[in-house]
Amino acid sequence: MDTTTLPVRPGTATDLADLVGRELGPTEWFEITQERVNAFADATGDHQWIHIDVEKAAASPLGGTIAHGLFSLSLGPYLSSQLLALDGFAHGLNYGYNKVRFPAPVPVGSRIRMRVTVVAAEEVGGGIQITTSQVVEREGSDKPVMVAESVARVVAAA
């Protein structure tokens, strides 16, 4: 399995086990625009002013609008698929998250990217459970903006 070309494309339990402990990435930068934040607010009904009221947010200690923490989390599948593609399996499902934290804000106009580390790949009834650490960083910041432990399950191709 080629692990130098991204996304890495494992197709077996052995391939996944070989990735445990490996950091993949980072992805390309992704720009956080006010339009994207507003669309997320509309999709979720979370219209808190710090996310959508540009004038009021400019007068706040944050100096402007920020992305929802859950917006950063929702980008997980998009960003992580640039690093780890599970299309070599019959199908895969998001199984959930063990832990999610948002240590720093994401100001609108900033750019973010992700690094993924495969933490575990364990055979379970009916498939393989993959646990990854997803770290999202903001350009120009030393502190991550999101750290999540994601859990997925895949079923081997017949």
Side-chain angles (χ1 to χ4, degrees), residues 1 7-12 14-16 19 84-89 130:
M1 175 180 59
V8 174
R9 297 182 181 280
T12 67
T14 300
D15 290 345
L16 285 168
L19 291 173
L84 180 63
L86 300 174
D87 51 9
F89 294 89
I130 308 154

Side-chain angles (χ1 to χ4, degrees), residues 6 26 49 56 78 80 106 114 117 129 140-141:
L6 295 176
W49 65 267
K56 186 173 182 179
Y78 168 72
S80 67
V106 180
M114 179 182 277
T117 301
Q129 182 165 296
S141 176

Side-chain angles (χ1 to χ4, degrees), residues 10-76:
T12 67
T14 300
D15 290 345
L16 285 168
D18 290 345
L19 291 173
V20 171
R22 295 220 27 195
E23 181 182 82
L24 305 173
T27 63
E28 295 294 321
W29 291 107
F30 180 88
E31 186 175 358
I32 302 300
T33 65
Q34 189 64 56
E35 293 76 19
R36 287 177 167 153
V37 171
N38 290 348
F40 186 83
D42 289 342
T44 61
D46 182 352
H47 293 97
Q48 184 181 20
W49 65 267
I50 196 63
H51 305 303
I52 62 168
D53 189 332
V54 175
E55 289 181 24
K56 186 173 182 179
S60 78
L62 291 171
T65 52
I66 61 171
H68 306 70
L70 291 177
F71 178 47
S72 299
L73 181 64
S74 76
L75 292 171

Side-chain angles (χ1 to χ4, degrees), residues 56-139:
K56 186 173 182 179
S60 78
L62 291 171
T65 52
I66 61 171
H68 306 70
L70 291 177
F71 178 47
S72 299
L73 181 64
S74 76
L75 292 171
Y78 168 72
L79 293 171
S80 67
S81 70
Q82 296 174 34
L83 305 173
L84 180 63
L86 300 174
D87 51 9
F89 294 89
H91 69 273
L93 299 169
N94 175 0
Y95 195 65
Y97 292 88
N98 291 334
K99 185 175 181 179
V100 178
R101 297 290 183 265
F102 307 109
V106 180
V108 168
S110 60
R111 297 190 319 162
I112 62 171
R113 66 184 181 183
M114 179 182 277
R115 296 175 190 274
V116 168
T117 301
V118 179
V119 175
E122 303 160 325
E123 293 193 44
V124 294
I128 305 159
Q129 182 165 296
I130 308 154
T131 305
T132 61
S133 169
Q134 299 178 345
V135 178
V136 176
E137 57 194 29
R138 180 174 57 88
E139 188 174 37

